[in-house]
Amino acid sequence: MPDTPGDFDYEATLVACAAGDRSAMRRLYEQEGARLLGVALRIVRQRALAEDIVHDACVNIWTRAASFDATRGSARGWIYSVVRNLALNAVRDAGRHVDVDETTHQALEADMSVQAYHAVEETFELNASLGRLQHCLEGLDPARRSCVLHAYVDGCSHGEIAERLGAPLGTVKAWIRRSLVSLRECMA
């Protein structure tokens, strides 16, 4: 029997999902599955499609649980926004006329406005962050910058980086650790 929404710890459940706890995802589905289906069904008006949306939403919640940010809203709201956004996208992507009530129509329009705003905002934030990151990377010693880029862009192990640079493994590890500290301080 599902808990009442006030008794269920959504944030802890998302943390557990991010840590790979499959039982947490099962508990979340048992707690909210019927209501999530209702949200999707109210938007898309087709049960099979709504069920697919809830399935896709569960996969998204599972794979993106670590991206939940409590400073931007509640965990339960985040979960519902995943379902709502997938349902709204399904209506948009269908390219066909779907009869929706006025509330859903307003939600579609509001969602498109919010998404457009966030897209522009994220682009500016990303450009600003990339500019700061580039500046901070340029401030590192070239060998240390190479270590960081090999590790975090190329995906090389510390041993592979040591081999590429002809440097001792301990030195490479120290360079990466110190460089990350420098980058954090520079980006703050």
Side-chain angles (χ1 to χ4, degrees):
M1 176 99 182
D3 295 329
T4 61
D7 296 336
F8 191 82
D9 191 345
Y10 294 91
E11 193 168 328
T13 302
L14 286 178
V15 169
C17 285
D21 182 355
R22 291 176 188 231
S23 66
M25 188 66 224
R26 181 183 41 75
R27 288 190 310 273
L28 178 62
Y29 181 78
E30 289 170 355
Q31 174 69 26
E32 293 296 326
R35 288 183 282 269
L36 295 174
L37 180 62
V39 168
L41 190 56
R42 190 171 62 244
I43 294 171
V44 299
R45 306 275 187 199
Q46 296 175 14
R47 184 164 186 92
L49 180 56
E51 289 171 353
D52 288 344
I53 288 168
V54 170
H55 173 268
D56 292 347
C58 288
V59 171
N60 284 355
I61 290 165
W62 173 256
T63 59
R64 295 179 34 222
S67 71
F68 167 70
D69 180 2
T71 63
R72 299 184 82 183
S74 73
R76 187 170 190 237
W78 183 81
I79 291 163
Y80 276 82
S81 71
V82 171
V83 172
R84 186 175 51 82
N85 289 338
L86 285 174
L88 293 172
N89 287 343
V91 170
R92 271 189 228 109
D93 292 346
R96 58 181 162 69
H97 178 74
V98 176
D99 291 327
V100 294
D101 59 24
E102 185 62 29
T103 304
T104 303
H105 178 72
Q106 289 173 352
L108 277 168
E109 288 182 350
D111 186 62
M112 287 188 291
S113 296
V114 168
Q115 284 184 7
Y117 171 77
H118 286 302
V120 169
E121 182 181 46
E122 287 172 3
T123 300
F124 283 121
E125 287 177 12
L126 179 61
N127 285 340
S129 294
L130 289 176
R132 276 198 328 267
L133 180 59
Q134 182 66 32
H135 170 75
C136 293
L137 281 169
E138 288 171 356
L140 294 176
D141 174 75
R144 293 178 181 198
R145 180 174 51 243
S146 292
C147 286
V148 170
L149 293 176
H150 285 313
Y152 293 98
V153 175
D154 299 335
C156 295
S157 69
H158 291 165
E160 292 170 332
I161 297 168
E163 192 176 302
R164 283 186 182 187
L165 298 179
L169 179 61
T171 301
V172 167
K173 289 180 178 181
W175 283 352
I176 291 173
R177 185 178 56 253
R178 290 180 192 141
S179 296
L180 292 177
V181 169
S182 296
L183 288 173
R184 261 188 231 110
E185 289 172 357
C186 182
M187 293 291 289

